[in-house]
Amino acid sequence: MPTIDDPRVRPNIHAAGAVLWRPGTRGGTDIAVIHRPKYGDWSLPKGKLDPGETPVIAAVREVSEETGLACVLGRYLGHVTYPIPGHRQLKRVDYWAARAADGDFAENSEVDELRWIPLDRVMDELSYPMDRQIVRTFARLPAHTRTLLLVRHAKAGKRHSFDGPDAQRPLEKAGLLQAEGLVANLLAFGASEIHSADPLRCVQTVAPLAERIGTEINCEPMFSEVHYASGNDADSTRAAARARIRELVTDRGVPVVCSQGGVIPDLVQSLAAEDGVTLPPARNRKGSVWVLSFSGDRLVAADHMDRALSTGIVKP
């Protein structure tokens, strides 16, 4: 009979949450810990996915509902999986680092108290070893990181079926839906400026986001397949693209860069090799996103979200 640790056993309840943080009043980092009177515990904010919801969006929503605070997601912190007592069910919770933004705590139906605890003391306040495991992952890197979102363009049909220049091949219907679905997920990470390779399908992928936040799409030909490894010195053009990525990473906002399948894997692998980051497995499918986290201009984490904007979970 399969056990919980058996890879054939899949969670049938999915949830998401966050290590919600803010700069400490005396330096350092404070972590939000919530008290749930129903369970008498102190835990990290989290909750179940609503139907059709991605873990990314659920994490932001649950933080807001349980703490009253808006937040901006950063790097992925992993997941915990555990059985539900008294039920033949297995629950998986995915967690992100999340910087607290606007709002104030107010007692609600699930949470009656929120405490901000310094990171070096928070382990003693948490009720569950699994929460402490996630906080340990959070503490391995700086709390404050800069984010860049690297998007592969959405579905655009087959190249041979389009009668025209390949650069003008548009998104198909499924791709247009993917582009719309990207918006809320990218905004969860604070997306604030947009850059795109010049093929039409790349521009169309980020057009709904540009419309939502009221900004222009900056054309970046060096992130297209045609330019990325072209010319007499392909190494030089690839190096220029990596340098441009680092140049875009600032404290002023969160850039989104839309590129192509012939660029993204090599670009991410090269950045990771330069800075000693181990990459997770990734299929780099159309409509998927790399969340790249930098400390200064150094890459410190790279998380891949597949085109369903999950982290590899099987959705219910």
Side-chain angles (χ1 to χ4, degrees), residues 184-248:
N185 289 279
L186 297 175
L187 288 176
F189 292 91
S192 61
E193 63 182 75
I194 306 174
H195 305 260
S196 176
D198 46 355
L200 177 60
R201 53 196 180 275
C202 294
V203 175
Q204 287 183 321
T205 297
V206 288
L209 175 63
E211 183 177 357
R212 173 72 69 85
I213 64 179
T215 191
E216 295 181 354
I217 299 172
N218 301 291
C219 186
E220 302 270 2
M222 70 172 61
F223 296 126
S224 70
E225 291 175 344
V226 170
H227 290 82
Y228 183 70
S230 65
N232 295 326
D233 188 355
D235 288 342
S236 179
T237 58
R238 288 194 289 263
R242 296 196 299 274
R244 180 59 176 154
I245 287 288
R246 295 185 191 277
E247 184 180 66
L248 291 173

Side-chain angles (χ1 to χ4, degrees), residues 2-10:
T3 67
I4 288 172
D5 294 325
D6 191 304
R8 292 172 292 171
V9 179
R10 293 176 172 173

